[in-house]
Amino acid sequence: MSSTALATTTPTKKPVTNKVALPAPRSASASAVKKVHSGPVSARQREELDVVSTRAPDGVGNTTPGGGLLPVQTTPHLQSGVTRDFIAKQAQTSNALSLLQMSPGAVVGSADPLGLSDHAGISVRGMDVSELGLVFEGMPAGDPIYGIADTAEWADTENISRIDLTQGSSDIATPSYSAVGGQISAELRNPSSKRGGFLELSGGSHATNKDFLRFDTGELGHSGVYAFVSGSYTRNNNWRGPGTNRRYHVDAKLTKSWGEGSHTAAVFTWNTVDESPTRYLSLAQWQQYGRSYNYAGQYKPGATDYYRQFQYDRTSVMISAPTHFKLTNSLSADITPYYQWMSGSVPSATTLTPGKIYYGDQSAGTIDFPTVYNGKAAVAAIAGSNSYNAGFTGNLALHTGINTLRLGYWYGNLNKNSLYDYAPVSSTGNIMDGTIHTQSGAVLATKNFHLMQQVNGFYIEDTLSLLDHRLDITGGFKEVLMSRSGTNNIPGATYRWSTNTATPLPRMSVSYKITPQDTVFFNASTGFHAPASDVPYYDAFNMSTGKLATRGRTDLKNEYAISEELGFRHTGLVNVSVGLFNYNFTNRQVSSSVYVDGALTTNFINAGGQTTRGAQAEVALRPWHHFSPYVSGQYLHATLDNNIAVGNDYLPTKGKTAIMSPKFTASIGVSYDDGRFFGNVYFNYVDSQYSTFMNDESIPAYKTANVTLGYRMKSIGFLHSPQIMVNLINVGDSNYLSGIYSAKTNTKTTRGIYGTSIAGSAPTYYLGGGFATVVGISTGF
């Protein structure tokens, strides 16, 4: 068999939380590899013999229905995903969120066409990214407080083997306190069984280039240890407006198996970015200026729109070690320790008025600013933070005939320091070294606080398998105890605060195999979401008057959801997944980004109760004459159950449509791959969606399309299957608003229930990226 002739068998996917498999072979012939799975284990998750098909050096096996868009799922929940068959054929600059845009219910708010920007969001069934559990190799991912995905940190897409989107719930073992509306999980590829590597060089529109190199060690001696390490450098200019972005990234993974069924992995990622964000805009600004509404490329004295004053940096490290122990034939254990460190600063241009500046409730006194224009001092407000998040998840599973009992525990410890201070700006508009101090010598800041958080989660789950494992009945209960406390070093503020919550999370599911290819399932589950901001806990002062602007609160409530799903799956030449869903929310939270004294910060809006109902469907064909079509769609009906409090009054929002809830979304595409020539065409439609709770502003529906063309060559010497690939992104060059960045209660001035005139404010949006091209050449070796 040629090294590029790709098999068309369909592999079996087992639902696991932490999965470590033996390395996949790189030989030209198919090989049988026994995979031992860890994580949640039930009778339907028995050890099986998987056939690992021949794969191209980039991991494409041409086995997943829909060209990688409808992998086989066996969990009793509606769940979508993408595999290497799809991931490897997208632009090398893509991120984990943009790779999910074809999945039913997923609306990706992209800020650039290449997927390089971290300034992107996603909503699923009307719930934004902060309401989704984000899991990477068994550990929490993204910002641990604000819930921002920051997907550039996770991994290079060349190393991601699979991404799963569970639209309505999360696994009971998920280490997340934000998974009220679903879960996004990403897994790295396993190291190869043979020594070798992979090189990919890419370039394209907007001076984009990405250099990626991976090396697989093969087996280290006769230790049974396999590993890979990779590094990449990415650079591009903003697709609109001034600014250059750079990213440096390292991924590494090591696996080791021992005994009969025990194995472990060690995962490490390091990432640093230096990014110039594009400007968010209101509906009126988009209608008037379109793509020309950007930060200024040249500095004007006293202006607050110079792009260099918004360029931010962030560095992160993520480490996890998912391990499975087979203790006896009927008893197993899983444990995943993890560690996450993040540090960065987000500057914003602003001005201060000398002589009218307060540090907390104290006058800042006389401050000597280097640049003052028309009585205003030009400064940069620096929102800086660093956090340490460590913990572990673990469980014991007892298998006794037709029954599997699982007992688990999750512990998480988070420490975060936040300092929002100010830096001087030079006469040329550049941010100068150092910080601005008050007359007494203190660092001038609006926020200077420390947050500590501890999470203890206990769960029990029992699965009963009947009728020769055709009928699975699962019941579970999880209790999450969360304590948050903090200190505030701003003068005049309450120094210390603390709060504790306990959240019960019962769930159940029933799955029945009508035939080996047809399964019907029902589940009822609960989820919660802790407040996605630390700002409301702390006192804040007006910087111009020194008066208390907002008092810190410790009575913030967790968002809570009860959801039900009824679904059906069919596997075969045609794969089908369809389902109905229903949610009932209390204390529905929506994140909102705002500038406070010039510094960017995140707050949240408590929208009270909400009811969400709908249906979704996916249909895909396994490779047939090298073609794999795919179709998905969702219908969504989401309404607010109550009026929203604003000040001392209420907005009449009961019965209004929920924000970020397009009624219809649809995707259609087809992939072709004969082992030499390959390509795909995908089309995505998103209906209009409201951005205010009063439904007095919305963004239009939009359509986008992407195209991939590629060719794999025969191996040349030590070069294994070199290939060239061209990605055409947004081929119609659609000018559209892709998502809601900052939602508001109302845009127009509205009379409240008690007669108060409630002023409106304009939401801001992501501007979807224009047309772009990326060309990549790659080879194994």
Side-chain angles (χ1 to χ4, degrees):
M1 179 185 291
S2 167
S3 61
T4 58
L6 306 179
T8 57
T9 57
T10 302
T12 302
K13 168 68 178 176
K14 273 73 68 183
V16 294
T17 300
N18 305 320
K19 178 173 61 181
V20 181
L22 294 177
R26 296 179 65 248
S27 60
S29 60
S31 302
V33 178
K34 188 176 184 179
K35 291 188 177 181
V36 184
H37 301 272
S38 64
V41 180
S42 66
R44 65 176 178 275
Q45 295 169 291
R46 301 177 299 277
E47 294 183 7
E48 297 181 13
L49 195 67
D50 280 2
V51 176
V52 179
S53 61
T54 304
R55 292 184 177 271
D58 59 3
V60 172
N62 199 27
T63 60
T64 309
L69 286 168
L70 190 53
V72 173
Q73 307 280 5
T74 57
T75 58
H77 302 273
L78 289 171
Q79 181 169 291
S80 304
V82 294
T83 68
R84 289 301 304 167
D85 287 350
F86 178 79
I87 297 170
K89 296 172 184 176
Q90 305 310 298
Q92 295 81 356
T93 55
S94 301
N95 60 61
L97 299 187
S98 64
L99 291 169
L100 291 171
Q101 67 177 347
M102 297 290 289
S103 299
V107 178
V108 178
S110 62
D112 76 295
L114 300 166
L116 286 168
S117 175
D118 268 348
H119 284 244
I122 188 173
S123 64
V124 178
R125 296 180 182 172
M127 289 160 284
D128 69 20
V129 66
S130 69
E131 297 171 281
L132 303 176
L134 305 174
V135 181
F136 172 73
E137 281 288 343
M139 69 173 293
D143 187 287
I145 291 294
Y146 294 120
I148 302 169
D150 293 331
T151 53
E153 298 169 351
W154 297 15
D156 279 312
T157 55
E158 290 86 349
N159 293 327
I160 296 178
S161 65
R162 180 177 179 130
I163 305 172
D164 283 311
L165 170 63
T166 308
Q167 285 94 341
S169 60
S170 63
D171 188 273
I172 196 171
T174 297
S176 173
Y177 41 84
S178 60
V180 68
Q183 177 177 318
I184 297 175
S185 304
E187 301 173 1
L188 283 179
R189 67 184 288 275
N190 283 316
S192 173
S193 62
K194 291 188 176 181
R195 182 178 302 174
F198 182 71
L199 173 66
E200 187 171 57
L201 305 174
S202 309
S205 305
H206 315 299
T208 298
N209 75 276
K210 179 178 181 180
D211 306 322
F212 173 87
L213 178 64
R214 180 177 64 229
F215 178 70
D216 281 279
T217 65
E219 186 176 12
L220 296 174
H222 298 288
S223 63
V225 175
Y226 301 82
F228 81 78
V229 62
S230 71
S232 70
Y233 167 72
T234 310
R235 178 198 178 279
N236 81 305
N237 295 334
N238 278 337
W239 74 277
R240 64 180 182 95
T244 300
N245 312 297
R246 293 178 176 85
R247 172 182 180 265
Y248 304 84
H249 190 87
V250 173
D251 290 327
K253 186 173 184 178
L254 176 149
T255 61
K256 163 69 177 177
S257 298
W258 70 91
E260 294 187 9
S262 298
H263 45 76
T264 189
V267 175
F268 171 88
T269 72
W270 170 85
N271 188 82
T272 186
V273 294
D274 181 11
E275 185 168 323
S276 292
T278 53
R279 199 170 190 177
Y280 306 105
L281 69 179
S282 68
L283 183 63
Q285 289 163 340
W286 175 61
Q287 292 170 339
Q288 181 176 356
Y289 302 106
R291 295 173 179 174
S292 64
Y293 185 76
N294 303 309
Y295 291 114
Q298 300 295 325
Y299 181 65
K300 293 181 181 180
T304 58
D305 62 350
Y306 183 46
Y307 81 99
R308 289 188 182 276
Q309 295 178 20
F310 292 85
Q311 186 145 351
Y312 74 89
D313 63 85
R314 187 181 68 255
T315 300
S316 66
V317 171
M318 294 196 296
I319 303 171
S320 71
T323 303
H324 175 74
F325 300 96
K326 185 177 180 181
L327 304 176
T328 69
N329 288 334
S330 59
L331 185 65
S332 63
D334 293 274
I335 185 169
T336 301
Y338 61 83
Y339 174 79
Q340 178 192 47
W341 171 76
M342 299 173 60
S343 179
S345 61
V346 181
S348 305
T350 190
T351 60
L352 298 175
T353 304
K356 296 182 179 180
I357 304 172
Y358 282 80
Y359 173 42
D361 64 352
Q362 301 176 2
S363 173
T366 302
I367 301 175
D368 184 21
F369 294 96
T371 52
V372 179
Y373 305 99
N374 299 321
K376 299 287 186 180
V379 297
I382 312 294
S385 67
N386 64 77
S387 64
Y388 306 83
N389 189 20
F392 68 90
T393 64
N395 67 74
L396 281 172
L398 178 64
H399 320 281
T400 54
I402 61 174
N403 193 77
T404 298
L405 176 66
R406 190 157 58 117
L407 300 173
Y409 173 62
W410 165 41
Y411 174 75
N413 187 306
L414 168 68
N415 277 269
K416 180 182 179 182
N417 295 292
S418 300
L419 177 64
Y420 288 25
D421 60 355
Y422 295 86
V425 171
S426 71
S427 59
T428 59
N430 292 314
I431 300 175
M432 301 171 65
D433 292 335
T435 58
I436 295 173
H437 291 75
T438 67
Q439 187 175 356
S440 64
V443 173
L444 180 65
T446 56
K447 296 180 179 64
N448 184 0
F449 47 68
H450 176 64
L451 179 140
M452 295 159 285
Q453 174 182 281
Q454 291 198 61
V455 178
N456 289 272
F458 306 86
Y459 62 89
I460 181 171
E461 184 182 68
D462 189 76
T463 298
L464 181 65
S465 294
L466 303 173
L467 305 179
D468 194 24
H469 301 294
R470 293 174 62 187
L471 175 65
D472 288 348
I473 303 172
T474 301
F477 181 83
K478 185 175 186 178
E479 182 86 4
V480 178
L481 309 177
M482 173 181 287
S483 66
R484 284 181 173 177
S485 61
T487 57
N488 191 345
N489 291 304
I490 296 298
T494 301
Y495 177 68
R496 187 182 298 277
W497 61 268
S498 64
T499 182
N500 297 277
T501 62
T503 308
L505 301 167
R507 59 178 58 207
M508 62 83 63
S509 65
V510 178
S511 175
Y512 178 70
K513 290 184 178 180
I514 304 170
T515 71
Q517 292 77 37
D518 299 283
T519 302
V520 63
F521 59 87
F522 171 80
N523 69 75
S525 62
T526 55
F528 87 109
H529 172 41
S533 177
D534 48 3
V535 174
Y537 293 106
Y538 296 89
D539 293 344
F541 294 84
N542 186 306
M543 201 171 184
S544 299
T545 66
K547 295 182 179 180
L548 186 68
T550 58
R551 185 172 298 279
R553 300 172 52 191
T554 56
D555 61 346
L556 303 176
K557 297 180 179 180
N558 293 332
E559 179 179 358
Y560 195 82
I562 301 173
S563 64
E564 301 88 24
E565 291 180 332
L566 177 64
F568 168 79
R569 292 192 186 101
H570 171 79
T571 59
L573 176 62
V574 177
N575 279 24
V576 179
S577 174
V578 296
L580 305 173
F581 55 85
N582 175 75
Y583 296 92
N584 288 284
F585 294 92
T586 56
N587 299 307
R588 172 74 202 283
Q589 295 179 17
V590 177
S591 296
S592 179
S593 297
V594 295
Y595 283 92
V596 178
D597 291 320
L600 183 65
T601 187
T602 300
N603 212 327
F604 73 92
I605 300 171
N606 188 326
Q610 179 176 315
T611 300
T612 299
R613 292 170 180 154
Q616 70 175 58
E618 290 181 279
V619 181
L621 188 69
R622 289 172 53 191
W624 181 74
H625 295 285
H626 311 303
F627 285 96
S628 298
Y630 171 85
V631 177
S632 72
Q634 177 184 272
Y635 168 77
L636 184 66
H637 180 71
T639 56
L640 302 177
D641 296 339
N642 54 261
N643 299 320
I644 295 178
V646 178
N648 296 320
D649 207 337
Y650 290 84
L651 281 170
T653 55
K654 185 176 181 179
K656 300 287 187 182
T657 299
I659 65 168
M660 295 184 290
S661 300
K663 182 170 289 187
F664 296 102
T665 56
S667 299
I668 185 171
V670 61
S671 174
Y672 176 87
D673 194 332
D674 66 5
R676 292 284 182 224
F677 292 96
F678 64 90
N680 54 59
V681 179
Y682 293 111
F683 172 84
N684 185 244
Y685 170 80
V686 177
D687 209 348
S688 62
Q689 47 188 314
Y690 288 111
S691 53
T692 66
F693 294 97
M694 277 300 298
N695 293 174
D696 53 3
E697 185 168 301
S698 63
I699 58 175
Y702 64 85
K703 304 176 287 292
T704 57
N706 299 331
V707 176
T708 300
L709 300 170
Y711 178 73
R712 300 186 190 92
M713 294 168 271
K714 295 181 179 179
S715 298
I716 306 171
F718 68 93
L719 300 179
H720 178 47
S721 300
Q723 78 171 32
I724 182 170
M725 183 173 70
V726 179
N727 291 96
L728 306 176
I729 304 163
N730 190 6
V731 293
D733 196 26
S734 295
N735 181 12
Y736 65 104
L737 296 175
S738 62
I740 301 162
Y741 173 67
S742 183
K744 303 296 181 181
T745 55
N746 54 304
T747 296
K748 301 175 183 177
T749 299
T750 305
R751 187 170 298 279
I753 297 296
Y754 299 142
T756 305
S757 180
I758 301 174
S761 57
T764 53
Y765 306 97
Y766 298 101
L767 180 58
F771 173 73
T773 303
V774 179
V775 179
I777 56 173
S778 62
T779 184
F781 59 87

